[in-house]
Amino acid sequence: MKSEALIERDLKVLRRFTEVFCREKHGRELCEECRGLLAYARERLEKCPFDPKPKCKSCKVHCYQKEQRERVREIMRFSGMYFVKRGRLDWLLRYFLS
Ligand SMILES: [Zn+2]
């Protein structure tokens, strides 16, 4: 798969997780803050120096700043549980297999 396609796929999953997080936590569709985080994630992904891009989880660089990394982790944890509770394991698998 080309890097660009990988980036789009990663962003799509992250966006889905963030939408759930924002709706449940912030009571919005995608608030400014969450939108900002997605924009940040896109920027990081597009600037990834590796080709092909490794999985961010197993990458040694960790280009995310600490604050953003914590936030993404929180979103993944929260929305991960949300999907589990609703039997939407397909979304979790998409995340773990990506
Ligand atoms: Zn939000």
Side-chain angles (χ1 to χ4, degrees):
M1 205 186 282
K2 268 182 64 188
S3 283
E4 250 170 62
L6 279 173
I7 287 173
E8 287 309 318
R9 197 187 58 181
D10 276 11
L11 281 173
K12 202 176 152 211
V13 174
L14 181 62
R15 191 189 165 92
R16 185 76 185 91
F17 275 72
T18 307
E19 278 170 1
V20 167
F21 179 85
C22 190
R23 199 177 62 217
E24 299 295 312
K25 290 266 198 182
H26 304 153
R28 302 277 300 279
E29 257 322 297
L30 267 181
C31 70
E32 201 123 314
E33 195 187 334
C34 293
R35 229 182 277 260
L37 185 70
L38 287 176
Y40 179 81
R42 173 179 289 277
E43 196 190 306
R44 298 323 312 169
L45 282 168
E46 281 171 354
K47 283 187 181 152
C48 178
F50 302 107
D51 193 15
K53 186 182 90 60
K55 294 177 192 169
C56 290
K57 285 188 293 260
S58 46
C59 181
K60 286 182 181 63
V61 171
H62 290 310
C63 61
Y64 276 52
Q65 279 168 16
K66 194 168 177 289
E67 196 181 315
Q68 275 84 355
R69 201 160 75 224
E70 288 297 315
R71 176 54 61 90
V72 168
R73 212 176 276 165
E74 192 190 346
I75 287 172
M76 287 307 180
R77 209 167 32 222
F78 179 86
S79 300
M81 282 311 297
Y82 178 94
F83 287 128
V84 166
K85 282 183 207 153
R86 279 159 186 77
R88 293 305 305 271
L89 289 172
D90 50 328
W91 273 104
L92 269 195
L93 288 176
R94 238 174 274 195
Y95 169 62
F96 286 116
L97 296 179
S98 72

